[in-house]
Amino acid sequence: MTTSPTPSRRVALVTLGCARNEVDSEELAGRLAADGWELVEDAAEADAVVVNTCGFVEQAKKDSVDTLLEAADLKGVARPQAVVAVGCLAERYGDQLAESLPEADAVLGFDDYADIGERLRRIVAGEAHVPHAPRDRRLLLPVTPIERAASSVSLPGHAQVDEPDLPEGVGPASGPRVVRRRLGAGPSAPLKLASGCDRRCAFCAIPSFRGSFVSRRPTDVLDEARWLAGQGVRELVLVSENSTSYGKDLGDLRLLESLLPEIAAVEGIDWVRVSYLQPAETRPTLLEAIARTPGVVPYFDLSFQHASPAVLRRMRRFGGTESFLELLAAARALDPQAGARSNVIVGFPGETEEDVAELEAFLTAARLDAVGVFGYSDEDGTEAATYDAKLPEGVVRERVERISSLVEELTAQRAEDRVGEQVDVLVELVDEQVEGRSAHQAPEVDGATVLVEGGALDPAVLRAGDLVTATVVGTEGIDLVATVSGRR
């Protein structure tokens, strides 16, 4: 008597938020695939829908809840039997989220990731999952690197397993294995350097639910870089909560400077991009490593947040207009075509019209390629939430519109400054038009470069993943228009 095989369980992963969440989702995908789950793109065709939520700001929280509700609506009318919340919102609120959102069948924290396949099987089978109580993850990790390595606390995006040695020629090579499965097919991919943050910015709750800063071992980063190159990736975007701190917990604050050339030397990798630099920690040696290392793009993602020293001190940050402009000048002295982007918060408690004017003057002088503008809002558990001198919502909204309008004008002017420049472009999309990104444009946040006819190479022969040289001939906002002059 034969028995029919057990049908595979299907799972769909929906990712919200930043590039760090993308890495975490691909870790979950790798674990699930290894455990026999079939990954599908359409949530309606999955048994379980896993939503990797964002818990950064109010709008991100709302988007996460809305996505969970949309997935829950599929139950009973399509295949899904369970909707599960993971990620930052789930970690941050745990049982509180589960109680307020009964439409979700389970809320899983980071410590559930290692057994995600079994967790999902039980949830789909109807077993109730007891969500964790929220707690400050900064208090969970031991202090020393050796103790951290032996800790059972899960660090999303750090997953790697060791397999026993195998006889030569039998099975795959022994040693570390990357626990990750790509969910996209583009030529660019994020690569996590570290998790958590040790800074105490008054407005930010991330350290409380992401935990203390923990660097990945350089060997693990390089192993994953090689794996991604083998998956067809040509650009690696190094991500963390604060990349300038990489290595400090491993006893070498300049570890990133020595690691960058090794990553850039990985066969198949053309570009390495460093994201999330803290201005107060961005040292001259790091500037030089980013600007001068072959294969590392001269791109500076500097988290200024404001320019008024008075506002920055209340934010528990350092610097101001003068030091920030000096930092940008130092980067551009190393490479005049270097890209620079930042984020700013307006409407912080106690911010005056004079503070806003100083921010405007800084942005005008800084000539940044891209700027994200956020209006301040209270975040649970942060120091700023307890501050007096809160500004009315209407004032915050007006300042966001005012700074956003200025930024739109300034960044368009900065793009126009690049007309006539020769740029390298990584092709990402070949459809009705050929679109890619120049070295100063990070994925999704800094605009694009459209390649048009008129150069030495017909754009029609290009494919996603090609790296070409081009001349900028026009702009559309922060986007560039360029003609191709050759391949790299």
Side-chain angles (χ1 to χ4, degrees):
M1 178 179 176
T2 60
T3 58
S4 58
T6 302
S8 63
R9 290 292 192 182
R10 294 180 177 181
V11 59
L13 280 159
V14 181
T15 306
L16 303 172
C18 65
R20 300 183 292 277
N21 256 17
E22 291 180 32
V23 178
D24 297 350
S25 284
E26 293 192 348
E27 175 193 329
L28 291 171
R31 291 186 180 279
L32 288 165
D35 201 30
W37 285 82
E38 179 185 352
L39 299 168
V40 296
E41 293 186 11
D42 188 349
E45 297 178 356
D47 297 289
V49 182
V50 177
V51 180
N52 192 351
T53 61
C54 179
F56 180 44
V57 293
E58 283 305 315
Q59 186 59 51
K61 297 175 193 175
K62 181 179 183 301
D63 291 344
S64 294
V65 170
D66 288 346
T67 302
L68 286 162
L69 291 173
E70 289 172 10
D73 287 342
L74 295 173
K75 292 188 295 183
V77 297
R79 179 163 176 155
Q81 301 170 54
V83 173
V84 177
V86 299
C88 291
L89 189 70
E91 176 64 39
R92 185 176 181 183
Y93 293 103
D95 53 5
Q96 299 170 13
L97 178 63
E99 182 177 355
S100 63
L101 193 70
E103 292 85 352
D105 296 277
V107 174
L108 304 184
F110 295 153
D111 292 337
D112 291 305
Y113 283 19
D115 298 314
I116 186 67
E118 181 60 25
R119 295 281 193 277
L120 284 193
R121 266 193 293 273
R122 292 179 178 179
I123 293 163
V124 170
E127 291 187 25
H129 175 80
V130 179
H132 65 280
R135 75 281 201 214
D136 191 333
R137 286 183 67 89
R138 289 170 294 192
L139 307 177
L140 300 180
L141 281 174
V143 176
T144 69
I146 293 176
E147 290 173 333
R148 287 179 178 181
S151 172
S152 62
V153 176
S154 178
L155 296 172
H158 290 236
Q160 199 146 22
V161 297
D162 289 309
E163 294 185 3
D165 289 341
L166 301 172
E168 185 175 353
V170 177
S174 60
R177 301 291 190 279
V178 174
V179 183
R180 181 172 178 177
R181 176 166 173 169
R182 291 204 73 200
L183 296 174
S188 178
L191 173 57
K192 189 172 285 192
L193 285 174
S195 287
C197 185
D198 288 337
R199 300 191 71 86
R200 294 294 185 267
C201 300
F203 55 82
C204 184
I206 289 176
S208 66
F209 57 86
R210 277 285 182 179
S212 300
F213 187 88
V214 180
S215 301
R216 296 182 68 191
R217 296 178 300 179
T219 52
D220 292 349
V221 175
L222 286 167
D223 284 338
E224 191 160 334
R226 296 185 187 101
W227 179 82
L228 287 166
Q231 299 291 308
V233 171
R234 299 195 71 179
E235 177 190 28
L236 297 174
V237 182
L238 307 184
V239 299
S240 71
E241 275 72 27
N242 177 9
S243 296
T244 42
S245 283
Y246 179 72
K248 72 173 186 178
D249 53 326
L250 301 177
D252 185 356
L253 188 54
R254 296 188 179 184
L255 189 56
L256 186 54
E257 286 94 314
S258 60
L259 182 60
L260 283 175
E262 294 188 68
I263 300 175
V266 170
E267 185 176 356
I269 298 300
D270 293 300
W271 281 0
V272 177
R273 184 181 304 276
V274 183
S275 296
Y276 307 110
L277 302 175
Q278 164 59 244
E281 297 179 24
T282 305
R283 48 209 174 267
T285 53
L286 183 54
L287 288 179
E288 186 166 1
I290 292 173
R292 295 281 176 83
T293 302
V296 177
V297 295
Y299 172 82
F300 297 91
D301 178 11
L302 294 157
S303 177
F304 292 127
Q305 302 299 352
H306 211 282
S308 163
V311 173
L312 288 164
R313 298 304 173 271
R314 288 196 292 276
M315 288 180 169
R316 296 208 176 277
R317 295 176 69 87
F318 302 92
T321 297
E322 184 177 354
S323 63
F324 292 166
L325 291 177
E326 289 175 353
L327 180 58
L328 288 167
R332 288 167 175 152
L334 293 166
D335 189 325
Q337 288 187 219
R341 84 169 324 273
S342 191
N343 295 310
V344 296
I345 297 173
V346 293
F348 194 76
E351 181 189 64
T352 65
E353 276 294 332
E354 290 75 15
D355 295 325
V356 178
E358 178 151 7
L359 177 59
E360 291 173 321
F362 165 71
L363 291 170
T364 301
R367 298 173 56 243
L368 298 168
D369 293 280
V371 183
V373 181
F374 297 90
Y376 171 80
S377 62
D378 285 341
E379 283 295 316
D380 297 336
T382 62
E383 181 180 351
T386 69
Y387 284 0
D388 296 327
K390 299 281 177 59
L391 301 181
E393 288 185 12
V395 172
V396 175
R397 186 165 53 251
E398 182 275 328
R399 290 181 180 179
V400 168
E401 294 172 356
R402 173 174 155 190
I403 297 299
S404 296
S405 178
L406 175 65
V407 160
E408 183 176 355
E409 177 183 352
L410 292 172
T411 53
Q413 290 174 1
R414 177 64 182 130
E416 291 173 3
D417 292 342
R418 294 189 180 275
V419 173
E421 286 186 356
Q422 187 176 75
V423 295
D424 292 336
V425 180
L426 180 64
V427 178
E428 290 190 303
L429 176 67
V430 179
D431 199 353
E432 294 181 1
Q433 65 181 18
V434 180
E435 186 176 296
R437 288 179 292 103
S438 299
H440 72 280
Q441 296 170 321
E444 299 182 3
V445 294
D446 294 338
T449 298
V450 177
L451 300 176
V452 297
E453 295 181 4
L457 185 65
D458 183 354
V461 305
L462 297 177
R463 298 292 181 267
D466 286 346
L467 187 64
V468 301
T469 56
T471 301
V472 181
V473 296
T475 65
E476 297 178 3
I478 64 171
D479 294 338
L480 304 183
V481 179
T483 58
V484 182
S485 54
R487 293 180 185 272
R488 291 296 304 273

